[in-house]
Amino acid sequence: MENSPSAPPHAPAPEGRRGRVLVVDDDPTVAEVVVGYLHRAGYAVERAGDGPAALERFAAARPDLVVLDLMLPAMDGFEVCRRMRAHGPVPVIMLTARGDEEDRILGLETGADDYVTKPFSPRELVLRVESVLRRAGAGSPAAEEARPLSGAGLRLDPVARSASRDGAVLSLTLREFDLLGFLLRHPGRAFGREELMREVWGWDFGDLSTVTVHIRRLRGKVEQDPARPRLIRTVWGVGYRLDLPGDGETAEAGEVTEATEVTEVAEVTEVTEATQATDRTEGAARA
């Protein structure tokens, strides 16, 4: 990480007050900075420098969240994430130095709940950790959010964090579960990606392709034919809408093919790259 900032000046908070985080990164400078900021934010933090060591720490004491570098010796972050997920759900934030959109999307499709591109702001990473853990269920849900949801053969229990379709259990990641729950609470209403990112992820900023990828993954688990979705529809120029039987939506109004989804990802990527270029220019000017 370039020009890593020094540790924040405020005193450390009681260690472990906010949960346990496993930081996996082979760059000692990056790891030291990340661990320092998370510790001062009140988290108990463990470190691992490669994939095998990360899996050993993970098995010994299951963390509440994993900050996982994509490029690791012996075993890359994709494989580490897959193996962790095989033992049960755990929130994962991936760190990547790559600028390739395909790698970031692959990270999300592997099951990561978020990703941060190096170089990054440690303070922003702490905020991302807080957001992901908050969505993971820190605290009891409000009464309205705790009630079971159902429709079109789907059933979701926010308290048990379980979901099924036609009686078959759905294996959903943290974000997929929250996204499906949000859509089930608002059937028939179209939401833009910015709104979904704000309401489901709790972010007022971020890469909108994150929403696109999670919609695509969720369709693959709840639709009979993900290439011709009947439940989670794309509303062109707006975003997405969940249609349940009886909503009265016509096929022409919402039907979008997989080719359209590819176009949407390309458009979001173009906007993201332009924004990143602008941020780099502004950062250079401030320096």
Side-chain angles (χ1 to χ4, degrees), residues 21-22 24 55 58 62-70 77-86 88-95 107-116 125 128-129 132-133 136 173-175 201 203 210 214:
V21 178
L22 173 61
V24 186
L55 293 174
F58 182 81
R62 185 72 60 87
D64 297 302
L65 181 143
V66 180
V67 177
L68 177 62
D69 187 27
L70 178 62
F78 296 133
E79 183 61 24
V80 173
C81 186
R82 290 190 189 99
R83 295 194 185 190
M84 288 181 177
R85 291 286 189 188
V90 61
V92 175
I93 297 178
M94 279 193 172
L95 303 180
L108 294 172
E109 292 184 334
T110 301
D113 298 286
D114 191 10
Y115 67 85
V116 177
L125 177 59
R128 296 289 183 97
V129 168
V132 171
L133 283 176
T173 66
L174 167 67
R175 294 299 188 186
W201 276 257
W203 307 341
T210 299
H214 279 79

Side-chain angles (χ1 to χ4, degrees), residues 24 66 68 89 121 127 132 135 138 141 155 185 192 196 210 215 227 265 270 284:
V24 186
V66 180
L68 177 62
S121 162
L127 291 176
V132 171
R135 290 287 173 174
R155 181 172 177 79
R185 290 187 184 94
L196 288 172
T210 299
I215 287 286
V265 173
E270 182 177 352

Side-chain angles (χ1 to χ4, degrees), residues 92-106:
V92 175
I93 297 178
M94 279 193 172
L95 303 180
T96 173
R98 298 182 178 183
D100 192 343
E101 181 72 11
E102 291 183 2
D103 288 324
R104 298 201 295 272
I105 289 177
L106 180 57

Side-chain angles (χ1 to χ4, degrees), residues 30 34 62 104 121 150 158 175 184 194 214 217 266 286:
V30 173
V34 171
R62 185 72 60 87
R104 298 201 295 272
S121 162
S150 61
R175 294 299 188 186
L184 279 170
E194 295 90 346
H214 279 79
R217 284 179 54 84
R286 286 195 298 270

Side-chain angles (χ1 to χ4, degrees), residues 197-235:
M197 179 163 283
R198 183 171 62 252
E199 296 295 336
V200 178
W201 276 257
W203 307 341
D204 290 322
F205 61 92
D207 188 344
L208 296 181
S209 66
T210 299
V211 177
T212 304
V213 170
H214 279 79
I215 287 286
R216 187 170 63 196
R217 284 179 54 84
L218 190 55
R219 281 174 172 163
K221 297 178 180 182
V222 305
E223 299 280 1
Q224 291 184 350
D225 182 0
R228 297 178 63 84
R230 293 292 184 180
L231 296 176
I232 303 175
R233 302 293 190 94
T234 297
V235 182

Side-chain angles (χ1 to χ4, degrees), residues 24 48-57 68 72-77 80 84:
V24 186
D50 57 37
L55 293 174
E56 182 178 345
R57 296 285 180 86
L68 177 62
L72 292 170
M75 183 186 304
D76 65 29
V80 173
M84 288 181 177

